[in-house]
Amino acid sequence: VNSSLTRRITLHTPGNFNFWRTVYSHGWCALPPFRHNADSHQLERLLSLEDTTLVHCTLADNGTSVSVVARSASPLTRDHRQELIRQLRTCLRLEEDFTPFHREATKHEEFRWVARTKGGRLLASPSVFEDLVKMMCTTNCTWGLTTLMVTNLVRHFGKKFDNTLYAFPSPDAIAGATERYLRTHIKSGYRSPHLLELAERVAGGKLDPESWRTSSLPTQELFEQVQSVKGIGPYAAGNLLKLIGRYDYLGLDSWVRSKYCELHARRRPVKDSAIEKHYKRFGQWRGLFFWLEMTRDWHQDKFKI
DNA sequence: GCGTCCAGGTCTACC
DNA sequence: GGTAGACCTGGACGC
């Protein structure tokens, strides 16, 4: 969109929010339609609003707030702006209260740095559907293949904004494909029937992942419900739940297992049950303490952790 | 060059 | 409830 319109918007943030700790909390910032620029310290995101209006947002840390430059092909209405703000606040986890978590962190000497550096917010997608699809694309493969699958999904099924930017596809768009098409063009391999079934169930209204955000179900029941999606097992369900504010599961995979062994067992292999036992004392927050500990060195230089 | 292994796992079929 | 075996793909590795 060459003749796009730009508009500046401010996101107000609480005192315990840290922009870069959130952006680099895990790999999502590198998966389209997110994009990050480490040099200019900006996070980009192409949003698709309810009426299919596309808005490209460039986010930057402003100290006590986040500044957003929004580009769109047509002028944004008040409703557009409100929805845009809502979606971005969901991504940055601004609606979630981290006060109790930080209070808990200060109770544990080895985790005081978490509260000090305002850690805990994990970058999320605007929709639970998108997070589910992406989580499925991280299973049993390298990060490189995850990036390839997501990039392909966006390019083949997402609405085009300009030559490099495509929105995340709607469930309908993916549901309209065939398994063969997914295997050939998305390179999602044996995950293809699972992706298709998920998209069809959501498009057909038989599954409403968005409702999980506000569900009153105990986390254990929600965990089972998330795993009822074919292709989503304990790893993917545990991590999906972390993106909607439930931290009771560790979401173990080969990377965190090896990281845990490096940090706690002199690189000797450790049973999953031993890892579970280690974090049991952190109760409902165990999954978050676990993840922050495993990724602590990612942020060490920037924040003097 | 070619075969093998495995990566930010999960499902099914059996016990 | 616990555990083999199969499963797309692409990159790394050994020979």
Side-chain angles (χ1 to χ4, degrees), chain A residues 112-170:
Chain A
R112 294 220 174 114
W113 59 275
V114 168
R116 201 172 62 240
T117 61
K118 306 173 180 182
R121 288 185 167 83
L122 306 179
L123 187 70
S125 301
S127 75
V128 181
F129 172 72
E130 180 179 329
D131 279 338
L132 258 182
V133 168
K134 285 179 170 173
M135 210 57 86
M136 207 182 271
C137 292
T138 66
T139 58
N140 198 27
C141 65
T142 56
W143 182 254
L145 188 53
T146 299
T147 307
L148 179 68
M149 287 187 270
V150 174
T151 302
N152 288 338
L153 277 172
V154 162
R155 289 202 75 116
H156 284 265
F157 302 122
K159 205 175 156 194
K160 185 176 178 178
F161 182 72
D162 65 23
N163 285 332
T164 60
L165 295 164
Y166 295 79
F168 194 80
S170 65

Side-chain angles (χ1 to χ4, degrees), chain A residues 24-88:
Chain A
Y24 285 135
S25 54
H26 61 126
W28 261 208
C29 66
L31 293 180
F34 280 114
R35 199 158 69 175
H36 67 105
N37 186 330
D39 297 326
S40 64
H41 290 273
Q42 288 175 330
L43 173 71
E44 295 178 43
R45 169 74 202 196
L46 181 61
L47 293 178
S48 180
L49 304 185
E50 275 173 37
D51 67 356
T52 74
T53 296
L54 297 182
V55 190
H56 177 260
C57 299
T58 306
L59 285 68
D61 188 14
N62 212 1
T64 55
S65 64
V66 171
S67 67
V68 182
V69 175
R71 284 196 298 138
S72 55
S74 53
L76 297 177
T77 65
R78 206 177 105 109
D79 285 351
H80 283 146
R81 292 199 304 278
Q82 284 180 349
E83 191 192 343
L84 175 158
I85 289 170
R86 216 163 35 237
Q87 288 199 27
L88 292 179

Side-chain angles (χ1 to χ4, degrees), chain A residues 171-191:
Chain A
D172 285 297
I174 298 175
T178 61
E179 185 186 323
R180 177 176 290 279
Y181 189 90
L182 294 179
R183 283 177 182 269
T184 312
H185 296 98
I186 307 304
K187 303 291 177 193
S188 44
Y190 69 89
R191 301 167 197 79

Side-chain angles (χ1 to χ4, degrees), chain A residues 271-283:
Chain A
K271 281 184 187 168
D272 286 359
S273 55
I275 305 179
E276 306 274 2
K277 195 177 161 191
H278 183 95
Y279 291 94
K280 202 172 172 203
R281 67 199 177 97
F282 298 107

Side-chain angles (χ1 to χ4, degrees), chain A residues 104 108 110-111 247-250 260 272-290 293:
Chain A
E104 180 66 26
H108 307 273
E110 72 276 31
F111 279 110
Y247 306 102
D248 309 25
Y249 292 90
L250 302 186
Y260 180 89
D272 286 359
S273 55
I275 305 179
E276 306 274 2
K277 195 177 161 191
H278 183 95
Y279 291 94
K280 202 172 172 203
R281 67 199 177 97
F282 298 107
Q284 64 169 131
W285 303 111
R286 71 198 105 146
L288 193 49
F289 279 115
F290 172 58
E293 189 182 358

